[in-house]
Amino acid sequence: MDLVPALQEPLKKVLGPATAKVMAEHLGLHTVGDLLHHYPRRYEERGQLTHLADLPMDEHVTVVAQVADARLHTFASSKAPRGKGQRLEVTITDGSGRLQLVFFGNGVHKPHKELLPGTRAMFAGKVSVFNRRLQLAHPAYELLRGDTEGEETVESWAGALIPLYPATAKLESWKLAKAIQTVLPSAQEAVDPLPGSLREGRGLVSLPEALLKIHRPHTKADIEDARARLKWDEAFVLQVALARRRHAETQLPAVPRKPGPDGLLTAFDDRLPFTLTDGQQKVSREIFDDLATDHPMHRLLQGEVGSGKTLVALRAMLAVVDSGGQAVMLAPTEVLAQQHHRSVVEMMGELAEGGMLGGAEHATKVVLLTGSMGAAARRHALLDLATGEAGIVIGTHALIEDKVQFHDLGLVVVDEQHRFGVEQRDALRGKGKQPPHLLVMTATPIPRTVAMTVFGDLETSVLDQLPAGRSPIASHVVPAADKPHFLARAWERVREEVSNGHQAYVVCPRIGDEDDDPKKGAKQSKQPPEGDADKRPPLAVLDVAESLAKGPLQGLKVEVLHGRMQPDDKDAVMRRFAAGETDVLVATTVIEVGVNVPNATAMVIMDADRFGVSQLHQLRGRVGRGSAPGLCLLVSEMPEASAARQRLNAVASTRDGFELSRIDLEQRREGDVLGQAQSGARTSLRVLAVIEDEEIIAEARQEAAAVVAADPEVTGLPGLRTALEALLDDEREQYLEKG
């Protein structure tokens, strides 16, 4: 690797083993380059003090403040029974509020000498409450002195702006600042990843200058210059990585798959009792164009719940079968695989009866393969796959096992891609003689920038029209604490729907068999609780089902469904609900994906504030799937002014999943979205914000595509190669694959 030696220098050589160990373990920083890219979270101005009035509880904070007074108390304790115990109480102020610092025992001597009234310092510690007052116990501190204190201190704090770094209990912000000052001269040797023409064309400062300005700004304009430049680095390097991946995919060979003029696809289209929406026709054309090329298709199909994605995917599968290949659909759960199998067989009718009496002329066989199948049925299915008798295969992870052999695998359709890891996708791809075409479907609307960033190696198609015949869904927030009679009315509405021959879902955040341990229950909650409602654990399926059956829904047939039930029991409950034998299904979010019961018209989501915005939208999509209108009631005890209630109001006010996914993303940390959870690696995005920096990402994607088209190996840009190698360590490589 041609990386810059100075930036590759291990921190233990530069800062000593003890500091380097803390940085590696707590902040994931190993080299000088890593430390230079650990940017300040915010800046304190020398003359302006942090707001002590709004300090967060139980969090590590760094504050700049002035000592108002300091008092030494003596007291008796078990360790110092003669009244020799010492406690130093220091009050600091910043004009907005006051904060108490407490030091005990031998730890009082140094601060007693140094923290005199009028002294200014930076203090860091964990905010706690004692006697109903905020305090920091034994905070670390660094005095902010004038010019008289020797060169080193003057140098450290020379800037008018004091950088505050993301820190840990083991390493305060100013210790990080001092460590960064030590390595800052190495920034001059940073090799610039941006092509000179791009940098000049956009008026961006050089990388060494950006690193100096972000760590040691003299003005706010310095910070802006640095951030503008570093955002471009992040966006551009990531987009080049994705562009290279797209380019590499186009170099792979694949068998072009074109449907015959009067084959299976034509016969299927003739059977359809309705016409395709414009959106379905447009997306189908994009897919058929991809399938006809001699390199593998890589397409992401986004569509709201109920927008007809399965139909579009099935037409693609039939086109591949027409051309002599096999198509496979991978579902995340057995219930979903069985449901896809049922709906595909229903849609195809006699066209799914290949090799059987009564099968149509162009018919093929549609085979289901899951882990819980009996040995004989499984053997039969595997034989149909290997001989090519089965043109369409639907299954779960069981399809990936070594034993499974295909005759000629032409297309892989992955449903709800975020439930599949990269290894699984690759293993399935490896089943083809040549790489098969790939279609990834998701019902989670993804904002354009996230699609460009996370799924940048896939071309994107969007189905944003709902087919004719889908009913509207009315959504309302039910404020259970402010207006209990609204909740009573909600249960009346459920009874009304049932008396009209329909069914209802009641969704809860927790199962309720966790040995009544509220801590476990709380962990299940999706949103950080606010206000008083967090004093009780989230509502649980088992408790709610029991109280409904004995109370407001007495006399109705109520059943429960949750993730810890045995697969057979789950299937039996779902079958009874689908057949209309159950009136009300009380469930966890296991119903979020893919369960299709057109007769279910009402949904009540308990403790709705505990779910994410996108999740609520997904859940709501389970009702209104038939001809009758749907109703979704979001029950919450959160006060009207809380952020949680505003989130619920947003969900109730719009059906646009893309708008909601933007709201969701703005409320979550970017890192979650960019696969931090998927890869275990720190997100590579430190200054780039996916929603706010939409234009930068879009422009970086264009620039990256041009660079890779001209020079796929980026041999002419050594700095860019270096940055790519640093970005695409194994974990990041896998995370990109996951898109």
Side-chain angles (χ1 to χ4, degrees):
M1 291 226 308
D2 53 349
L3 276 168
V4 188
L7 298 194
Q8 279 302 89
E9 189 83 46
L11 287 172
K12 63 170 173 271
K13 279 194 178 170
V14 188
L15 303 173
T19 308
K21 185 169 186 246
V22 175
M23 286 191 177
E25 284 177 6
H26 294 277
L27 296 168
L29 307 175
H30 303 279
T31 63
V32 168
D34 290 345
L35 184 55
L36 285 174
H37 287 294
H38 187 72
Y39 307 134
R41 177 178 286 159
R42 57 192 175 84
Y43 300 85
E44 274 304 336
E45 290 182 53
R46 193 32 72 78
Q48 179 197 20
L49 298 165
T50 325
H51 280 299
L52 293 182
D54 22 287
L55 285 178
M57 274 297 298
D58 285 337
E59 272 189 35
H60 264 274
V61 296
T62 303
V63 296
V64 177
Q66 191 162 341
V67 176
D69 67 35
R71 295 177 190 183
L72 191 62
H73 302 274
T74 52
F75 59 91
S77 71
S78 55
K79 288 183 182 164
R82 296 205 187 110
K84 294 280 172 64
Q86 290 192 308
R87 180 175 79 243
L88 176 66
E89 289 179 4
V90 178
T91 306
I92 58 172
T93 178
D94 68 348
S96 77
R98 294 166 87 79
L99 179 66
Q100 189 157 25
L101 316 177
V102 190
F103 301 87
F104 291 101
N106 295 334
V108 304
H109 305 304
K110 185 168 175 274
H112 190 218
K113 284 207 296 271
E114 294 183 333
L115 296 179
L116 304 171
T119 309
R120 304 200 37 206
M122 294 171 80
F123 302 91
K126 193 172 181 182
V127 183
S128 57
V129 169
F130 181 71
N131 277 347
R132 293 201 285 195
R133 287 169 68 188
L134 291 182
Q135 70 166 29
L136 299 181
H138 282 281
Y141 63 88
E142 178 83 7
L143 301 180
L144 297 179
R145 299 181 167 100
D147 301 2
T148 55
E149 280 297 315
E151 276 311 298
E152 195 269 337
T153 317
V154 176
E155 188 54 35
S156 315
W157 308 113
L161 294 156
I162 302 166
L164 296 186
Y165 290 89
T168 74
K170 297 269 193 298
L171 202 63
E172 292 89 15
S173 171
W174 57 83
K175 287 188 181 161
L176 273 162
K178 280 186 171 167
I180 287 167
Q181 295 295 343
T182 308
V183 301
L184 205 49
S186 306
Q188 293 302 342
E189 297 187 45
V191 177
D192 207 315
L194 295 188
S197 57
L198 188 159
R199 206 172 63 231
E200 285 150 27
R202 296 184 179 276
L204 299 169
V205 300
S206 70
L207 181 57
E209 190 182 337
L211 290 171
L212 282 171
K213 282 184 167 177
I214 198 132
H215 291 299
R216 227 150 112 193
H218 291 289
T219 63
K220 288 185 175 170
D222 284 353
I223 300 170
E224 286 311 306
D225 286 351
R227 288 178 66 85
R229 162 62 216 245
L230 295 166
K231 281 182 178 188
W232 255 96
D233 277 20
E234 290 180 6
F236 182 70
V237 174
L238 184 57
Q239 291 302 335
V240 169
L242 293 164
R244 286 183 66 194
R245 179 173 294 281
R246 286 197 301 277
H247 181 267
E249 301 284 11
T250 63
Q251 305 307 302
L252 290 174
V255 180
R257 307 283 179 177
K258 296 178 182 168
D262 290 314
L264 188 55
L265 180 61
T266 312
F268 175 75
D269 284 348
D270 292 344
R271 280 180 54 89
L272 283 177
F274 50 81
T275 52
L276 299 176
T277 65
D278 294 345
Q280 286 173 323
Q281 288 178 359
K282 174 176 155 285
V283 170
S284 288
R285 277 196 300 277
E286 291 169 351
I287 292 172
F288 290 150
D289 289 348
D290 283 1
L291 289 174
T293 60
D294 54 8
H295 56 81
M297 163 170 83
H298 280 93
R299 195 164 276 282
L300 173 71
L301 174 54
Q302 286 180 249
E304 293 276 5
V305 171
S307 58
K309 291 186 303 298
T310 312
L311 177 62
V312 168
L314 176 55
R315 293 184 74 238
M317 292 164 86
L318 295 173
V320 169
V321 176
D322 255 354
S323 71
Q326 290 169 292
V328 53
M329 182 184 272
L330 207 51
T333 63
E334 294 217 352
V335 171
L336 255 181
Q338 288 163 348
Q339 185 167 310
H340 277 315
H341 182 253
R342 271 199 303 276
S343 62
V344 164
V345 169
E346 268 169 34
M347 281 197 268
M348 287 176 63
E350 66 211 23
L351 296 174
E353 294 170 3
M356 292 190 257
L357 280 171
E361 177 193 352
H362 300 293
T364 186
K365 215 175 205 181
V366 180
V367 169
L368 177 70
L369 186 63
T370 62
S372 63
M373 283 168 78
R378 189 178 173 74
R379 224 176 13 253
H380 206 91
L382 288 172
L383 189 64
D384 285 341
L385 264 62
T387 60
E389 189 82 12
I392 293 180
V393 187
I394 296 170
T396 54
H397 299 67
L399 280 170
I400 298 164
E401 289 171 16
D402 292 342
K403 292 194 203 82
V404 179
Q405 297 298 324
F406 291 89
H407 177 63
D408 178 14
L409 181 58
L411 170 66
V412 176
V413 179
V414 181
D415 187 19
E416 288 298 327
Q417 97 303 323
H418 56 271
R419 294 162 191 255
F420 282 98
V422 53
E423 302 81 9
Q424 296 157 328
R425 213 166 81 176
D426 280 355
L428 194 57
R429 270 193 195 159
K431 302 275 184 196
K433 295 186 179 74
Q434 284 192 323
H437 298 280
L438 175 72
L439 180 65
V440 174
M441 300 198 296
T442 176
T444 311
I446 301 160
R448 188 173 80 104
T449 42
V450 180
M452 283 194 288
T453 312
V454 184
F455 303 100
D457 60 334
L458 299 170
E459 298 300 326
T460 307
S461 294
V462 179
L463 276 175
D464 46 14
Q465 275 176 294
L466 286 186
R470 284 302 299 263
S471 305
I473 304 174
S475 304
H476 303 285
V477 177
V478 177
D482 314 346
K483 300 179 176 163
H485 60 286
F486 275 38
L487 184 59
R489 175 73 187 118
W491 301 127
E492 282 173 25
R493 284 291 290 112
V494 169
R495 291 194 85 98
E496 285 164 18
E497 290 298 312
V498 173
S499 65
N500 289 333
H502 299 302
Q503 293 158 279
Y505 296 100
V506 176
V507 182
C508 304
R510 194 164 66 97
I511 296 172
D513 58 359
E514 302 94 342
D515 308 322
D516 293 326
D517 179 351
K519 284 200 183 83
K520 280 190 191 165
K523 273 186 192 156
Q524 303 234 336
S525 87
K526 292 276 183 232
Q527 292 294 340
E530 303 163 56
D532 291 341
D534 63 316
K535 290 195 177 133
R536 59 162 177 77
L539 290 171
V541 167
L542 301 176
D543 308 338
V544 169
E546 189 180 349
S547 69
L548 287 177
K550 289 178 177 167
L553 302 185
Q554 199 171 5
L556 301 187
K557 180 96 173 69
V558 177
E559 284 210 69
V560 299
L561 180 71
H562 58 74
R564 281 213 282 276
M565 289 164 64
Q566 292 302 315
D568 293 355
D569 298 343
K570 267 195 263 191
D571 289 347
V573 169
M574 267 323 299
R575 271 199 301 275
R576 286 196 292 276
F577 189 64
E581 294 165 24
T582 307
D583 298 321
V584 179
L585 186 62
V586 183
T588 55
T589 55
V590 290
I591 60 152
E592 178 184 357
V593 175
V595 179
N596 189 16
V597 181
N599 192 42
T601 52
M603 176 177 286
V604 182
I605 303 179
M606 308 302 292
D607 280 345
D609 46 273
R610 308 264 180 168
F611 299 96
V613 170
S614 293
Q615 200 172 24
L616 291 168
H617 182 61
Q618 288 280 88
L619 287 164
R620 166 170 68 182
R622 298 289 127 217
V623 295
R625 298 175 77 87
S627 52
L631 172 70
C632 178
L633 301 174
L634 306 166
V635 179
S636 171
E637 293 185 2
M638 285 296 160
E640 185 133 14
S642 65
R645 271 287 283 284
Q646 286 162 10
R647 217 166 38 232
L648 297 182
N649 292 339
V651 175
S653 65
T654 178
R655 286 290 313 283
D656 181 344
F658 288 91
E659 178 55 30
L660 289 173
S661 68
R662 281 185 81 97
I663 294 168
D664 201 13
L665 186 54
E666 281 162 5
Q667 290 180 341
R668 292 207 315 249
R669 290 197 331 282
E670 306 285 348
D672 299 348
V673 178
L674 296 183
Q676 212 172 1
Q678 291 175 320
S679 76
R682 287 177 307 130
T683 169
S684 70
L685 299 195
R686 297 183 181 89
V687 285
L688 192 72
V690 179
I691 289 287
E692 289 164 34
D693 299 323
E694 182 164 349
E695 279 172 35
I696 294 178
I697 293 170
E699 289 170 22
R701 184 177 168 106
Q702 283 178 340
E703 295 271 10
V707 166
V708 172
D711 178 6
E713 291 303 310
V714 292
T715 41
L717 296 164
L720 179 55
R721 275 197 75 87
T722 299
L724 283 168
E725 283 161 354
L727 172 77
L728 298 179
D729 55 27
D730 294 345
E731 285 188 299
R732 303 284 310 149
E733 186 81 72
Q734 287 198 0
Y735 141 61
L736 283 176
E737 287 267 9
K738 281 209 160 95

